[in-house]
Amino acid sequence: MNRILIAEDEERIASFVEKGLRANGFVTTVAADGDTAFDYACTGSFDLIVLDIGLPGRDGFTVLREMRESRVTAPVIVLTARDSVRDTVAGLEGGADDWMTKPFRFEELLARVRLRLRTAARTPEVTVLRSGDLSLDLRTRQARAGTTVVDLTAREFVMLEFFLRHPGQVLSREQILSHVWGYDFDPGSNIVDVYVRALRKKLGAARVETARGMGYRLAVSTRAPS
């Protein structure tokens, strides 16, 4: 199980990233300032670091430079509100492995986290997710329910991927909102229910089950693809 350090002083964003990563099976630790982030990073306990540039204490550029000088080799994904080529180059030359500008969608961060962890571990990429006779090709973005090819919208695709990565697990509306729509979602919205209905219509009503008062889960089928 991969351990990820989240160095972010904005509580709302730190919570958003932490909840999303934990929902996807990662173990997380949050550091709210640069000094704490540097101390944590130097323990060597983390497989990846999500690092905000605008940290109090040591700023992100300083943390990154001193981490690399201290031979901390964990991949680093930098988060910043700055959107300039100069800052991007400075971060990458300082030892960052990737760079994301705020605001960002969690699905994009998650994809980059997985990519950097795969690269670091040199593990093969999973391109097709399956549960029984339901499958989703991540490259072609094509779903199959039994022998039927299903066309999905961009949001439906992200939602189905989330369900397929957690078959049988109850996912709350908040988790789904955060993953699919990002941290600027309206918690009072019924958009999750609307999209679940759309998935049921396309995949079959029994594919996504309601856990009353808790959320939704992908029904686990024992049928193999035909």
Side-chain angles (χ1 to χ4, degrees):
M1 188 174 293
N2 293 116
R3 292 181 56 86
I4 297 179
L5 173 62
I6 304 164
E8 170 61 66
D9 66 313
E10 291 187 51
E11 185 177 349
R12 183 171 65 102
I13 296 177
S15 175
F16 158 70
V17 173
E18 182 178 37
K19 286 178 182 177
L21 290 175
R22 286 188 174 183
N24 281 275
F26 297 102
V27 176
T28 60
T29 299
V30 174
D33 62 79
D35 296 334
T36 303
F38 177 73
D39 290 342
Y40 273 134
C42 288
T43 66
S45 302
F46 297 94
D47 302 294
L48 183 139
I49 299 166
V50 177
L51 176 65
D52 178 42
I53 288 300
L55 292 172
R58 287 181 175 96
D59 68 14
F61 285 124
T62 302
V63 172
L64 181 59
R65 184 184 71 251
E66 293 183 357
M67 278 171 41
R68 295 316 189 204
E69 289 173 354
S70 300
R71 302 190 182 282
V72 176
T73 60
V76 174
I77 299 175
V78 165
L79 304 180
T80 181
R82 307 173 187 179
D83 187 15
S84 74
V85 173
R86 184 175 181 179
D87 286 331
T88 302
V89 170
L92 295 174
E93 288 186 346
D97 298 272
D98 211 336
W99 185 274
M100 293 190 68
T101 302
K102 299 175 184 176
F104 56 88
R105 287 167 60 182
F106 179 76
E107 64 184 84
E108 182 181 357
L109 175 63
L110 180 63
R112 295 190 187 207
V113 165
R114 287 178 171 147
L115 173 62
R116 295 304 161 191
L117 289 172
R118 283 197 305 268
T119 301
R122 291 181 170 81
T123 55
E125 180 182 4
V126 175
T127 59
V128 179
L129 301 176
R130 300 184 188 278
S131 179
D133 65 350
L134 180 64
S135 67
L136 184 67
D137 191 312
L138 302 181
R139 288 183 172 173
T140 65
R141 303 180 76 84
Q142 188 176 79
R144 283 183 177 272
T147 58
T148 304
V149 176
V150 181
D151 292 325
L152 301 173
T153 67
R155 299 285 193 190
E156 289 167 353
F157 173 88
V158 174
M159 183 180 284
L160 180 57
E161 179 187 359
F162 195 34
F163 278 124
L164 279 166
R165 290 191 184 276
H166 304 85
Q169 177 182 331
V170 175
L171 301 175
S172 69
R173 287 175 175 81
E174 182 183 28
Q175 286 176 307
I176 297 170
L177 273 169
S178 177
H179 181 83
V180 180
W181 282 270
Y183 55 82
D184 287 323
F185 65 81
D186 174 7
S189 171
N190 71 337
I191 193 69
V192 169
D193 308 285
V194 172
Y195 272 77
V196 166
R197 285 198 296 270
L199 281 182
R200 285 171 170 166
K201 185 175 180 180
K202 291 184 176 183
L203 303 174
R207 299 278 185 182
V208 182
E209 300 174 340
T210 300
R212 192 169 299 278
M214 295 184 288
Y216 296 101
R217 64 174 162 245
L218 184 70
V220 177
S221 172
T222 58
R223 290 183 296 166
S226 57

